Amino acid sequence: MNRLRVLVTGANGYIASRLIPRLVDRGHTVRALAREPERLAGRPWQSKVDVMRGNTTEPESLAAALEGIHTTYYLIHSMAAGRGYTRVERESAQRFVSAAEQAGIQHIIYLGGLADPNAKNIAPHMRSRIETGEILRQGRVPVTEFRAGVIVGAGSISFEMIRFLTESFPILPGPTWLRNKAQPIAASNVIDYLVEALDRSEARGGIYELGGPEVMLYADTMLRYARQRGLKRRLFTVRGVPIPLMARFVDWLTPVPYAIATPLVGGLQSDSIVLKEDARRTFPDVRLVPYREAVQEALDDLVPVRLERVWEGMTREAATIKHEGFFLDYRRLKVSASAEAVYRVFADMGGAHGWPYANWLWRLRGWLDRLVSRPNTRTDIKASKKDGISLEPDGQGDPLLKAGDRIDYYRVEAVERGCMLRLHSELRAPGEGWMEWRLDEQSDQSTLVTQTAFFAPRGLPGFLYWFMLGPLHRLVFRGLIRAIRQRSEQSRRSR
């Protein structure tokens, strides 16, 4: 296998964030091009690649990014631009192919959309994806084009639409387009094909349609997800449902914004299935993952440690977002104290010492949980640290948290002294919850504290639970991180 210098465009995107670590693991030298490279701050692979700022609207940034590159992945779309995005996509492809020719690029690998280009009712979004491939092939650089439809994986836009909509509604209304056919493919398989294309010179210049081993209705992608999740769902179709109305529902309930939801929903108007099996013949080593297995892989990722931490690259000090099946409340504060001092505040939280903010609310929530819990179905969580938590003192007489310890109704899931603490909630709720704090000591001896509350809802009760308690949660989470800062700074002054 040749070790190549590779450029991945659209590095902030879903596919790029999965592709880049695979390329690094295979020994390739990777350069990542992103419009907002600061958003890559939370990615574990960021330090292993050359990150550059740029986009296809700035030709000078393309020239710098393509310098010395052998192969480039074109993973750019402009749906977020809203009205007129198809013109933006055509112009972007034209600029890119011109820059690639001037830089002497040997190979372009492009991921587009799966649809019959001859279909009369093909959606503008799918037509634009196909036209982008045609423009890239007009240049002198060989282009390998892959076309994929519904991509199944935690974080994929199409899968998150399926996940959030199915979880939200016991009865799912939709347009008659949901009776059109789809051929979902696992995200891991899409990455397999993109990586394999680097080493198969005989595949260059080809157009390959990608799909999983099963053809189903769009409606079945939701109903099968529901069965696997243990949810009872019914679906019915209604004629004449406007695309903007559906897109508004998607924007409200899922992580997909309205500007992107509009063309994606419109894409349901036609079938998205493989018509030519060239991909299987050319890449026989790719084992196609069945839909059920792909969904299970996504559900197995429904834990904080498996998430792409995209929120850590945000410039905002606080944000509430929907991401990979989670509702997240993220906050960040600078504390004028050492990371060790902040960690000591964490170690003192709960039990006899109480919580730094709104302690009565934390205790009330625990009392209500014990009230509704059935006897002998779960372990009692005692209120006192001395009785309920197996803390051991360190060499300086301070409490030492360990994985498995309990802080009131939380279980310590992971802890690194002076660096991070993650607690898993043992409360009865229609979903799974976690609280996490990370510490980053600064050069001026202050500490940047990030606090993230995670909630993975299960079904409609989980969504109602989060939305109804949202104002209270935001009040408590904001007060908690501020109280942690206050205690940490007071502790520093008293020592």
Side-chain angles (χ1 to χ4, degrees):
M1 182 181 67
N2 296 324
R3 302 297 192 267
L4 304 176
R5 291 182 61 83
V6 178
L7 172 69
V8 179
T9 64
N12 286 323
Y14 170 73
I15 291 297
S17 67
R18 270 70 178 174
L19 172 64
I20 290 173
R22 284 279 295 274
L23 295 174
V24 171
D25 288 345
R26 288 172 74 101
H28 298 295
T29 300
V30 179
R31 180 177 294 161
L33 183 68
R35 182 173 299 180
E36 300 175 88
E38 59 274 3
R39 289 174 52 197
L40 301 177
R43 314 299 173 92
W45 44 262
Q46 186 212 15
S47 61
K48 302 176 183 178
V49 304
D50 177 20
V51 177
M52 293 189 65
R53 182 187 301 274
N55 62 70
T56 52
T57 64
E58 300 173 358
E60 62 278 7
S61 69
L62 289 180
L66 290 166
E67 185 178 357
I69 295 296
H70 180 278
T71 298
T72 178
Y73 287 90
Y74 192 81
L75 304 177
I76 296 171
H77 69 74
S78 303
M79 289 185 291
R83 183 174 297 180
Y85 74 90
T86 56
R87 175 185 55 81
V88 175
E89 292 196 331
R90 288 194 298 270
E91 293 175 353
S92 293
Q94 290 165 354
R95 292 191 191 96
F96 189 84
V97 71
S98 176
E101 287 181 346
Q102 294 178 19
I105 300 301
Q106 301 297 304
H107 188 194
I108 296 174
I109 302 174
Y110 166 60
L111 178 63
L114 178 62
D116 182 357
N118 299 314
K120 294 181 180 180
N121 59 342
I122 186 171
H125 158 54
M126 289 299 187
R127 173 65 66 189
S128 180
R129 298 279 77 205
I130 292 171
E131 288 179 349
T132 295
E134 292 172 351
I135 292 171
L136 293 175
R137 288 193 298 276
Q138 289 173 2
R140 296 189 300 271
V141 181
V143 177
T144 301
E145 179 178 350
F146 293 105
R147 296 175 177 176
V150 176
I151 297 177
V152 184
S156 160
I157 289 177
S158 50
F159 179 73
E160 293 305 327
M161 286 176 58
I162 292 170
R163 186 211 301 262
F164 276 83
L165 291 174
T166 306
E167 294 271 358
S168 301
F169 290 108
I171 300 177
L172 298 163
T176 53
W177 312 333
L178 291 178
R179 299 298 176 187
N180 291 334
K181 294 178 182 178
Q183 195 166 349
I185 183 170
S188 58
N189 280 157
V190 174
I191 303 302
D192 291 337
Y193 282 114
L194 292 173
V195 172
E196 290 297 318
L198 277 178
D199 300 320
R200 291 187 178 273
S201 58
E202 69 274 16
R204 292 187 186 181
I207 299 175
Y208 303 97
E209 299 176 342
L210 305 185
E214 304 152 278
V215 174
M216 63 188 73
L217 305 181
Y218 281 114
D220 287 334
T221 64
M222 304 173 76
L223 295 176
R224 291 191 187 190
Y225 172 89
R227 285 197 295 270
Q228 196 159 339
R229 187 76 162 133
L231 302 171
K232 293 183 179 180
R233 294 292 181 265
R234 291 184 179 274
L235 185 147
F236 67 91
T237 57
V238 180
R239 292 184 179 277
V241 178
I243 291 176
L245 179 61
M246 280 199 63
R248 285 297 178 193
F249 272 104
V250 171
D251 174 68
W252 179 45
L253 291 170
T254 81
V256 185
Y258 178 77
I260 295 178
T262 301
L264 287 181
V265 170
L268 302 177
Q269 295 178 88
S270 58
D271 292 341
S272 181
I273 59 175
V274 173
L275 300 177
K276 297 179 181 179
E277 295 289 350
D278 294 353
R280 294 198 190 193
R281 290 190 290 269
T282 308
F283 303 94
D285 295 336
V286 176
R287 184 190 77 83
L288 293 179
V289 177
Y291 183 73
R292 179 180 178 82
E293 186 177 329
V295 170
Q296 191 57 53
E297 288 178 0
L299 293 177
D300 290 343
D301 287 342
L302 206 57
V303 289
V305 72
R306 302 287 289 275
L307 288 182
E308 282 279 325
R309 306 182 72 88
V310 297
W311 62 92
E312 291 188 354
M314 292 180 175
T315 57
R316 289 176 287 174
E317 297 297 311
T320 301
I321 63 173
K322 298 183 283 286
H323 178 61
E324 296 187 21
F326 281 90
F327 291 115
L328 302 176
D329 184 286
Y330 169 73
R331 299 177 187 275
R332 180 173 62 219
L333 276 180
K334 190 173 183 179
V335 178
S336 298
S338 67
E340 182 65 23
V342 181
Y343 175 84
R344 293 173 190 273
V345 174
F346 294 158
D348 280 340
M349 289 193 305
H353 294 92
W355 292 82
Y357 181 79
N359 184 55
W360 68 274
L361 275 176
W362 296 87
R363 293 200 177 280
L364 176 62
R365 182 63 179 90
W367 177 81
L368 290 174
D369 189 69
R370 290 194 296 273
L371 185 65
V372 300
S373 297
R374 295 179 180 177
N376 302 322
T377 59
R378 61 197 293 276
T379 306
D380 249 352
I381 303 176
K382 300 180 180 179
S384 170
K385 279 197 171 186
K386 294 181 180 178
D387 299 326
I389 305 175
S390 55
L391 292 180
E392 298 175 0
D394 65 4
Q396 292 149 345
D398 292 318
L400 176 64
L401 290 170
K402 305 188 307 299
D405 289 337
R406 281 186 297 177
I407 299 177
D408 292 345
Y409 38 79
Y410 281 103
R411 179 77 63 177
V412 177
E413 184 174 270
V415 59
E416 297 176 37
R417 179 162 188 152
C419 295
M420 66 86 66
L421 171 66
R422 185 167 61 249
L423 307 178
H424 186 190
S425 174
E426 294 187 332
L427 290 168
R428 294 170 65 89
E432 293 286 321
W434 289 262
M435 288 292 298
E436 180 187 270
W437 295 269
R438 290 178 178 257
L439 308 177
D440 183 14
E441 199 155 53
Q442 308 294 293
S443 57
D444 60 357
Q445 297 185 331
S446 65
T447 301
L448 186 65
V449 180
T450 58
Q451 171 185 284
T452 310
F454 304 82
F455 183 69
R458 184 178 181 85
L460 179 59
F463 280 72
L464 294 176
Y465 176 87
W466 179 263
F467 285 120
M468 291 176 65
L469 295 179
L472 180 60
H473 282 152
R474 288 190 290 273
L475 173 67
V476 172
F477 297 150
R478 181 175 63 246
L480 179 59
I481 191 170
R482 290 177 177 177
I484 289 172
R485 176 176 62 182
Q486 183 179 14
R487 285 196 180 185
S488 301
E489 293 176 350
Q490 287 175 346
S491 173
R492 186 199 66 166
R493 288 192 293 267
S494 63
R495 285 179 176 266

